[in-house]
Amino acid sequence: MNNLPEVFEDFSEARKQGFITIKNLKDGGKKVVGTFCTFTPWEVIHAAGAVPVSLCAKSDETIADAEKHLPRNLCPLIKSSYGFAITDKCPYFYFSDLIVGETTCDGKKKMYEYLGEIKEVHVMQLPQTYKGEDAYRLWRNEIIRLKEKLQKEFGVDVTKEELSQSIKLRNRERIALKEFYELGKMCPPPITGLEMLKVLNGASFKWDKDEEIRELKDLINRSKSEYQEGQRKVSPDAKRILITGCPMGEATEKIIKAIEENGGAVVCYENCTGIKEISKLVDETIDPIDALTEKYLNIGCSCMSPNDNRVNLLSELIDDYKVDGVIDVILQACHTYSVEAFNIKRFVNDKKKTAYMSIETDYSQTDIGQINTRIAAFIEML
């Protein structure tokens, strides 16, 4: 969008600009750790003196290459991740000294076996539930195992003090991001849903966290100032939409555009692209490993069964953001989110008395017309 303020453009371009930054960091002796998921504890990698970087996985650019090895009826995020790896089109994968995966789904687990033929891959074994002592103990051991792997690979000692400092830094970033996305609570919001997504996506490619926090605060202040001066980017009549479900990136911006071009405004993202990971802080008053275990184990992902945390967070967000409708975005062949959609629909319709629709899509642009028609009808119904 050409009318985005410069700081929005800066966040939007952060992933591309970061290619040079990562190369310079590598040339300066920094270690790089590639990650795929919000379950991977950022603080442990940072405390090891390495740079955590999110790998390319949200474009259809390399899916055709991936399908030479992987089935076509597989999640596009998995195919995209693998495709970028085998084609060497992801600079972040190229510069990674270690890849950290996690067993959030069967497709990823098997894909990691192939990635392991290209790079060193460490897989964290995630419990299938966040309830009970056994699940807690398993995940705590996995975080310790990651710490030990980083220490061995990079020849460092990750101390409690370094973990505590990383926790405090990451919490400061979460607070700034939370203050930013809570702009969506305003009626109408001072930013569009697309602007919000660009910042949330771009934030993970800002490795100077102090600078990122300053930029976020500047963005918040500027947005509020312009709003107070009477500038409005979103119509007060726009229907307020919450997006839930699978991760979103450039390829799924088609859904946001369809919402905002048909009289809706995306005010909140309840998924791991948005609020899900940053809604809760890590406890800074207890042992760092225990604090990280508790924090990351309780992310409300559909890979967990039962997934009460997702429902509880949705309930809060629907109220806090005065939501008119919920749109559940499900990537093709993402079975856990697809199966869970029935329960989410019942909850949103019956308990929250709010409209709900689900959209299954992939990273191609061939379904834009269909998506536009369905979303237009949904918003008109609201």
Side-chain angles (χ1 to χ4, degrees):
M1 296 175 66
N2 295 328
N3 61 343
L4 283 178
E6 183 179 339
V7 69
F8 279 113
E9 290 287 8
D10 179 57
F11 272 92
S12 180
E13 293 296 312
R15 185 175 71 86
K16 296 176 183 176
Q17 295 168 355
F19 297 159
I20 305 299
T21 306
I22 283 292
K23 181 182 184 303
N24 292 338
L25 288 169
K26 282 282 291 185
D27 290 344
K30 273 283 186 182
K31 299 297 184 181
V32 176
V33 177
T35 68
F36 289 104
C37 184
T38 52
F39 277 106
T40 303
W42 181 97
E43 294 86 347
V44 180
I45 298 170
H46 182 266
V51 181
V53 59
S54 180
L55 299 178
C56 309
K58 296 176 183 176
S59 162
D60 67 347
E61 181 182 348
T62 62
I63 283 181
D65 296 291
E67 287 176 346
K68 294 175 183 177
H69 302 168
L70 302 179
R72 293 187 65 187
N73 61 337
L74 183 65
C75 164
L77 188 150
I78 298 172
K79 291 189 290 186
S80 179
S81 302
Y82 182 67
F84 273 108
I86 62 172
T87 58
D88 243 357
K89 290 183 178 179
C90 177
Y92 295 127
F93 186 90
Y94 176 81
F95 286 121
S96 290
D97 298 285
L98 176 70
I99 307 297
V100 177
E102 70 312 304
T103 55
T104 50
C105 76
D106 290 341
K108 273 187 176 180
K109 284 193 297 187
K110 303 308 291 183
M111 187 266 288
Y112 293 147
E113 295 178 16
Y114 294 138
L115 287 188
E117 298 173 4
I118 309 170
K119 288 272 186 179
E120 180 73 15
V121 176
H122 176 84
V123 180
M124 301 184 73
Q125 303 295 327
L126 186 69
Q128 297 184 4
T129 180
Y130 37 67
K131 294 184 176 182
E133 184 181 337
D134 289 343
Y136 182 92
R137 185 164 54 246
L138 171 59
W139 191 235
R140 189 181 191 279
N141 288 339
E142 286 300 297
I143 291 177
I144 293 172
R145 199 167 66 90
L146 173 64
K147 179 173 78 76
E148 292 172 346
K149 175 71 173 180
L150 293 166
Q151 290 178 151
K152 180 181 177 182
E153 288 292 318
F154 302 152
V156 297
D157 183 28
V158 179
T159 66
K160 279 190 175 183
E161 291 73 21
E162 288 165 336
L163 277 174
S164 295
Q165 289 304 313
S166 293
I167 286 171
K168 290 176 182 176
L169 176 61
R170 179 68 163 161
N171 273 349
R172 285 177 53 224
E173 182 195 20
R174 289 188 182 101
I175 290 168
L177 285 167
K178 187 173 182 179
E179 186 180 353
F180 166 73
Y181 73 62
E182 285 182 347
L183 291 172
K185 290 183 178 181
M186 299 168 67
C187 298
I191 56 174
T192 69
L194 192 57
E195 289 172 339
M196 183 187 295
L197 183 69
K198 287 182 182 295
V199 171
L200 293 173
N201 275 337
S204 61
F205 298 97
K206 300 268 189 177
W207 293 290
D208 185 334
K209 293 304 177 185
D210 289 315
E211 181 182 353
E212 176 204 342
I213 291 165
R214 286 193 296 269
E215 290 178 356
L216 283 166
K217 290 182 177 178
D218 177 61
L219 176 53
I220 294 163
N221 292 334
R222 287 174 56 183
S223 297
K224 288 181 176 179
S225 176
E226 291 176 0
Y227 192 85
Q228 290 167 357
E229 291 170 1
Q231 295 187 34
R232 295 291 183 271
K233 296 180 179 180
V234 179
S235 167
D237 298 323
K239 297 301 179 183
R240 301 172 62 82
I241 304 298
L242 179 151
I243 289 182
T244 184
C246 293
M248 298 191 72
E250 294 173 6
T252 44
E253 286 180 4
K254 58 189 175 183
I255 294 171
I256 304 160
K257 291 175 181 176
I259 292 168
E260 301 197 328
E261 289 171 2
N262 286 284
V266 180
V267 296
C268 184
Y269 295 92
E270 185 286 313
N271 51 26
C272 48
T273 314
I275 292 174
K276 185 169 288 182
E277 194 281 325
I278 54 181
S279 61
K280 303 294 183 184
L281 302 181
V282 179
D283 190 341
E284 299 178 10
T285 66
I286 62 175
D287 176 82
I289 296 294
D290 289 331
L292 291 169
T293 303
E294 183 178 337
K295 154 67 185 174
Y296 283 94
L297 184 58
N298 281 282
I299 294 173
C301 178
S302 67
C303 66
M304 293 293 180
S305 183
N307 190 12
D308 299 335
N309 286 352
R310 182 187 180 194
V311 171
N312 294 337
L313 180 57
L314 271 173
S315 182
E316 292 177 20
L317 297 175
I318 289 170
D319 294 339
D320 292 348
Y321 286 78
K322 300 178 178 64
V323 169
D324 296 307
V326 172
I327 295 182
D328 201 351
V329 178
I330 301 165
L331 293 176
Q332 176 194 28
C334 183
H335 300 311
T336 54
Y337 272 105
S338 184
V339 171
E340 196 166 274
F342 175 62
N343 187 46
I344 298 300
K345 181 179 188 296
R346 285 191 305 184
F347 172 75
V348 172
N349 284 166
D350 300 343
K351 297 291 179 63
K352 304 305 293 184
K353 308 300 179 186
T354 303
Y356 168 96
M357 75 174 294
S358 64
I359 294 175
E360 183 174 302
T361 188
D362 59 15
Y363 286 171
S364 74
Q365 304 300 302
T366 57
D367 58 354
I368 287 178
Q370 181 191 45
I371 287 172
N372 193 70
T373 300
R374 289 191 62 206
I375 287 176
F378 179 71
I379 292 174
E380 184 178 351
M381 175 196 71
L382 297 179

